[in-house]
């Protein structure tokens, strides 16, 4: 006579959710001849309890509480990843992912509860090296799904397999990055944007799950003598409250990590080799399901008095999407930095983007991102443009850039008709380490502001005659720490400048004694470093767009006396166009000019510090201003 699982669960009451040296005794609930079980995922559907398990001999199985197989998919499977309530073809299914050990392909299946059945949706091609483990990550806000996997050579891979906006399966390679050797399992937490990977004989490592973050790993749960886990690690589980569970079969222990300093351990009884763990947290407590290799059986237990922790929440910031991107710079590393937009008066759709490459010089791009010109003049950092300048008897548009090779101002002429850029000359400065730069134009002349990493600003008046250019130092002032971004409003004669760690200042742009006024501080909204700056002005509608580098966002401030905060946004990936999102922005530029059919309301151009889908050197992303306007208005 078969017993139901509820009759087999032993309720553990050990004096608290994380009682020290508590014991969990689990009892068998499913066993079959030569099962060769592996992973397990408990789940609830229509108030009924179910388990999804993987088996090397029987494939993937859906079990109900009476141990009946309700759905199956034949094959040799060890790994298992599950995501509930995914909409495909107009209906909700659960997405199940596992590696077929025979073909080495990764299979995507639908768990259709109406039948129920496990139905093959798609095969992903095998990686170069055999995969050891995999897990799913739901992108916050967008509902995209990423599949993380780790291969036998220790490389981690990320693919987006589900487009949450178009509600369809995709296969988009995002990135490869160093993982761990002997990876046993991985889990991903959307709330904290964390990826955990278990290295069998070392410990558990945490990586940022966001594709726009650097894959820097941190130790979370380490084996003795570097941590408190004994034996080896074979499996992980993640609870809805963010608690990480770690199984060690040799020690017959289960460890729980709620924070880096809050770890508890349970002794496991009733099993000899607890290889895998499934966990489910609900109003009745914590349900645990184990696979015991020595018994070739699944066992279960209930921790009824488990007290859930507070679920972490990510900061919600509205998203816009890039519509295009430029050709990447030539080399990996911190290279691309700051863009400027040249407006073609005769043919606005043929306007150009000037971008600095800190290792080479000045790059010139068309509005579709194509690289059309390179000027290798030195390690340029920031660039800006002003029109209507006369040099050598010719009227040109003038570009200026800070040149870190020789601590100078590099000056360029832009042909008003063709957009061709030519290097004119360099202007020496008295600064020790030039950094940021911006330009200003008024009835009194053309000016360049250039700053030093020590906080000093120098303002030069640029003049031209029939033969050469000259620069006159007309003003100096300073902030207390490193600045970079700055922008001058030619309409009002106000200069805005960023002090990277502290915030935003303003002063008059005319060469008069400077009175600095701080108008925004770093804190809850504006996250250091304060980097790129650009002014969007359309009549009386004027705002400053600022890169808040510390949280990969952009803030808008009204250019009124109060410097009113207008809103913020992030630039997220666009799967349809195949352009990734933006992170760690250094420089940006914005214009309200009508640049043709693609950008009738203007254009925002930003530097992308991490270029993904797939990984490539840095570049610049283009955003239709209509998207930004819609976000700020709402």
């Amino acid at each position: 006579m078969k017993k139901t699982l509820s009759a087999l669960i032993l309720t553990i009451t050990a004096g608290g959710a994380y009682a020290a040296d508590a014991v969990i005794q689990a009892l068998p609930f499913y066993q079959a001849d030569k099962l060769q079980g592996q992973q397990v995922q408990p789940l609830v559907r229509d108030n009924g309890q179910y388990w999804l398990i993987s088996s090397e001999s029987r494939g993937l199985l859906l079990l109900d509480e009476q141990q009946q197989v309700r759905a199956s998919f034949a094959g040799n499977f060890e790994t298992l990843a599950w995501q509930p309530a995914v909409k495909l073809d107009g209906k909700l299914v659960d997405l199940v992912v596992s590696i077929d050990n025979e073909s080495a392909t990764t299979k995507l299946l639908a768990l259709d509860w109406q039948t129920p059945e496990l139905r093959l949706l798609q095969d992903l091609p095998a990686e170069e090296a055999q995969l050891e483990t995999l897990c799913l990550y739901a992108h916050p806000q967008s509902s995209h799904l990423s599949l993380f996997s780790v291969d036998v050579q220790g490389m981690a891979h990320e693919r987006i397999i589900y487009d949450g906006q178009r509600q369809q399966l995709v296969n988009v390679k995002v990135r490869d990055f160093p993982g761990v050797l002997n990876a046993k399992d991985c889990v991903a937490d959307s709330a904290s944007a964390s990826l955990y990977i278990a290295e069998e004989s070392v410990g558990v490592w945490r990586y940022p799950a966001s594709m726009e973050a650097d894959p820097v790993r941190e130790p979370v749960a380490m084996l003795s003598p570097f941590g408190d886990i004994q034996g080896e690690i074979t499996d992980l589980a993640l609870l809805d409250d963010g608690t990480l569970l770690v199984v060690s079969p040799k020690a017959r222990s289960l460890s729980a990590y709620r924070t880096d300093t809050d770890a508890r351990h349970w002794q496991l009884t009733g099993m000899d080799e607890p290889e895998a763990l499934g966990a489910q947290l609900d109003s009745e407590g914590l349900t645990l399901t184990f696979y015991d290799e020595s018994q070739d059986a699944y066992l279960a237990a209930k921790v009824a008095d488990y007290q859930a922790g507070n679920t972490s929440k990510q900061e919600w910031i509205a998203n816009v999407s890039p519509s295009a991107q430029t050709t990447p710079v030539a080399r990996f590393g911190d290279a691309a930095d700051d863009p400027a937009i040249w407006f073609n008066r005769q043919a606005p759709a043929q306007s150009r983007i000037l971008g600095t490459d800190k290792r080479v010089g000045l790059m010139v791009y068309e509005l579709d991102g194509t690289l059309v010109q390179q000027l290798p003049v030195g390690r340029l950092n920031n660039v800006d443009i002003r029109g209507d300048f006369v040099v050598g008897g010719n009227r040109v548009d003038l570009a200026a850039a800070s040149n870190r090779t020789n601590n100078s101002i590099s000056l360029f002429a832009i042909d008003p008709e063709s957009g061709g850029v030519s290097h004119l000359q360099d202007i020496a400065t008295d600064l020790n380490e030039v950094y940021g730069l911006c330009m200003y134009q008024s009835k009194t002349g053309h000016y360049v502001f250039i700053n030093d990493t020590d906080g000093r600003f120098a303002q030069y008046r640029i003049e031209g005659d029939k033969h050469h250019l000259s620069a006159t130092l007309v003003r100096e002032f300073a902030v207390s720490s490193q600045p970079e971004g700055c922008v001058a409003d030619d309409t009002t004669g106000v200069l805005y400048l960023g002090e990277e760690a502290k915030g935003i200042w303003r002063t008059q742009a005319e060469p008069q004694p400077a009175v600095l006024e701080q108008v925004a501080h770093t804190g809850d909204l504006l996250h250091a470093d304060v980097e790129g700056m650009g002014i969007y002005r359309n009549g009386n509608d004027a705002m400053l767009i600022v890169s808040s580098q510390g949280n990969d966002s952009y803030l808008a401030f009204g250019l009124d006396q109060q410097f009113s905060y207008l809103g913020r946004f992030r630039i997220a990936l666009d799967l349809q166009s195949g352009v990734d999102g933006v992170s760690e922005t250094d420089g940006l530029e914005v214009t309200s000019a009508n640049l043709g059919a693609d950008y009738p309301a203007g254009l925002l151009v930003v530097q992308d510090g991490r270029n993904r889908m797939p990984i490539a050197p840095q570049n610049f992303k283009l955003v239709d201003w209509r998207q930004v306007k819609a976000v700020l208005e709402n």
Side-chain angles (χ1 to χ4, degrees):
M1 176 178 166
K2 292 183 178 179
K3 297 182 181 180
T4 64
L5 176 64
S6 57
L8 291 174
I9 289 179
L10 178 66
T11 299
I12 306 301
T13 54
Y18 281 127
D21 300 321
V23 176
I24 293 179
Q25 181 177 352
L27 298 175
F29 85 92
Y30 183 72
Q31 194 167 17
D33 184 46
K34 297 180 180 179
L35 178 60
Q36 295 180 291
Q38 292 293 334
Q39 299 290 313
V40 56
Q41 174 63 57
L43 45 92
V44 173
R45 176 76 180 188
D46 297 329
N47 297 319
Q49 182 69 57
Y50 296 86
W51 287 263
L52 187 64
I53 68 173
S54 63
S55 164
E56 294 180 75
S57 62
R58 296 174 180 263
L60 300 173
L61 305 177
L62 177 67
L63 306 176
D64 63 16
E65 195 169 0
Q66 285 71 41
Q67 308 171 39
Q68 297 298 311
V69 177
R70 300 295 301 276
S72 64
F73 188 86
N76 179 343
F77 298 103
E78 296 180 56
T79 54
L80 181 64
W82 168 75
Q83 180 68 28
V86 175
K87 196 166 189 178
L88 288 171
D89 298 325
K91 65 186 297 186
L92 287 176
V93 298
D94 290 0
L95 188 64
V96 179
V97 187
S98 188
I99 302 166
D100 186 328
N101 289 337
E102 301 299 330
S103 65
T105 58
T106 299
K107 294 189 177 296
L108 309 185
L109 300 100
L111 172 53
D112 190 336
W113 288 96
Q114 292 182 359
T115 313
E117 67 172 335
L118 282 162
R119 182 176 68 253
L120 179 65
L121 297 171
Q122 180 177 318
D123 280 341
L124 296 179
E127 299 284 352
E128 289 186 9
Q130 178 182 338
L131 296 182
E132 293 275 62
T133 187
L134 51 74
C135 52
L136 289 169
Y137 172 68
H139 293 231
Q141 296 184 218
S142 70
S143 299
H144 300 321
L145 286 179
S146 277
L147 177 67
F148 285 101
S149 58
V150 186
D151 66 32
V152 294
Q153 293 182 338
M155 288 301 297
H157 314 277
E158 181 184 3
R159 291 178 182 271
I160 296 177
I161 61 169
Y162 177 72
D163 183 335
Q165 295 173 335
R166 290 182 287 171
Q167 298 180 344
Q168 64 186 37
L169 294 179
V170 294
N171 180 15
V172 179
K173 186 65 175 287
V174 175
R175 55 176 172 154
D176 301 314
F177 58 93
V180 301
L181 292 171
N182 299 318
K184 296 299 291 184
D185 196 17
C186 69
V187 290
D189 181 21
S190 297
S192 63
S194 297
L195 170 68
Y196 300 93
I197 301 178
E199 188 173 8
E200 181 178 24
S201 57
V202 178
V204 181
W205 302 92
R206 177 173 53 221
Y207 298 75
S210 169
M211 59 188 286
E212 293 298 340
D214 285 331
V216 178
R217 68 179 187 174
E218 302 173 291
V220 175
M222 309 307 288
L223 270 63
S224 177
F226 306 105
D228 48 14
I229 295 180
Q230 305 297 318
E232 61 186 22
I233 296 171
T234 56
D235 205 32
L236 305 174
L238 190 68
L239 302 182
D240 291 341
D241 65 356
T243 300
L244 179 70
L245 301 179
V246 182
V247 174
S248 177
K250 289 185 177 180
R252 299 190 189 93
S253 70
L254 174 67
S255 301
Y257 296 83
R258 183 167 289 175
T259 67
D260 291 343
T261 58
D262 184 4
R264 298 293 184 270
H265 308 281
W266 286 282
Q267 193 68 41
L268 301 176
T269 62
M271 63 191 96
D272 294 324
E273 295 181 70
E275 289 284 336
L277 166 70
Q280 176 185 309
L281 182 61
D282 55 32
S283 59
E284 296 182 357
L286 177 61
T287 300
L288 301 175
T289 311
F290 300 90
Y291 174 72
D292 182 16
E293 187 171 17
S294 66
Q295 300 180 55
D296 194 16
Y298 287 93
L299 302 92
K302 189 91 169 182
V303 183
D305 58 352
Y306 178 88
Q307 297 175 3
N310 295 323
T311 303
S312 61
K313 294 183 179 180
Q314 280 205 315
E315 186 177 37
W316 192 94
I317 300 176
N319 288 338
V320 301
S321 299
S323 54
Q325 61 182 334
T326 66
T327 303
V329 295
R331 301 178 182 88
F332 280 98
D334 186 19
D337 192 274
D338 186 51
I341 301 170
W342 173 74
F343 179 61
N344 188 328
R345 298 172 183 82
Q346 284 73 37
Q350 296 177 27
S351 298
R352 299 283 173 86
I353 297 166
L354 277 61
T356 60
D357 182 335
K358 289 182 287 193
R359 301 185 178 191
V360 179
L362 189 66
M363 306 292 117
V364 183
Y365 308 92
E366 294 180 343
L367 292 185
D368 65 359
T370 303
L371 178 65
V372 294
Q373 200 175 351
Q374 303 180 62
L375 293 91
V377 297
R379 297 187 298 118
L380 301 187
N381 203 70
N382 284 27
V383 62
D384 205 357
I385 300 171
R386 288 298 186 274
D388 198 27
F389 187 81
V390 177
V391 58
N394 298 315
R395 190 169 296 275
V396 298
D397 294 334
L398 185 68
S402 51
N403 193 325
R404 298 168 72 178
T405 298
N406 49 24
N407 288 314
S408 67
I409 301 169
S410 292
L411 297 174
F412 304 86
I414 306 174
D415 187 296
E417 295 183 3
S418 68
V421 181
S422 58
H423 180 223
L424 296 173
Q425 68 183 71
D426 280 10
I427 301 294
T429 73
D430 294 328
L431 301 177
N432 296 324
E433 190 175 355
V434 302
Y435 209 51
L437 174 145
C438 57
M439 296 184 71
Y440 169 62
Q441 182 179 354
S442 71
K443 294 180 180 179
T444 63
H446 286 73
Y447 298 92
V448 172
F449 291 92
I450 188 168
N451 58 49
D452 192 296
T453 56
D454 63 9
R456 289 182 293 159
F457 279 77
Q459 181 179 2
Y460 289 86
R461 180 185 291 114
I462 308 298
E463 297 173 296
D465 57 26
K466 293 182 180 181
H467 304 291
H468 68 284
L469 294 167
S470 63
T472 303
L473 180 64
V474 294
R475 180 168 61 153
E476 293 180 296
F477 57 92
V479 292
S480 61
S481 63
Q482 181 169 311
E484 182 175 2
C486 65
V487 62
D489 187 348
D490 294 351
T491 301
T492 61
V494 177
L495 173 70
Y496 299 89
L497 55 104
E499 188 174 4
E500 290 191 353
K502 295 185 177 181
I504 303 169
W505 300 78
R506 67 183 173 191
T507 186
Q508 72 264 7
E510 289 295 325
Q512 301 169 5
V515 177
L516 292 171
E517 175 191 7
Q518 188 164 10
V519 291
H521 295 78
T522 53
D524 292 338
L525 292 175
L526 185 61
H527 292 235
D529 290 344
V530 179
E531 294 272 352
M533 292 183 170
I535 290 176
Y536 181 92
R537 177 175 288 279
N538 186 5
N540 294 325
D541 182 16
M543 65 184 75
L544 179 71
I545 305 297
V546 181
S547 164
S548 175
Q549 194 181 73
N551 70 340
D552 298 328
S553 68
Y554 307 86
L555 275 62
F557 296 94
L559 299 188
D560 49 27
Q561 185 59 37
Q562 291 74 34
F563 200 68
S564 306
Y565 168 67
L566 302 178
R568 58 181 175 167
F569 57 93
R570 285 192 171 116
I571 302 174
L573 67 91
D574 187 330
L575 280 178
Q576 194 163 2
S577 65
V579 182
D580 66 303
V582 180
S583 55
E584 206 170 50
T585 289
D586 287 330
L588 63 82
E589 185 58 285
V590 62
T591 180
S592 63
N594 182 340
L595 300 183
D598 291 336
Y599 305 105
L603 172 66
L604 171 66
V605 182
V606 302
Q607 181 260 3
D608 185 8
R610 303 181 185 97
N611 193 12
R612 309 298 199 208
M613 290 174 41
I615 290 180
Q618 295 176 341
N619 68 352
F620 300 93
K621 300 294 196 290
L622 286 68
V623 179
D624 184 345
W625 182 258
R626 290 174 293 182
Q627 287 200 57
V628 179
K629 181 181 179 182
V631 164
L632 296 180
E633 287 179 346
N634 292 319

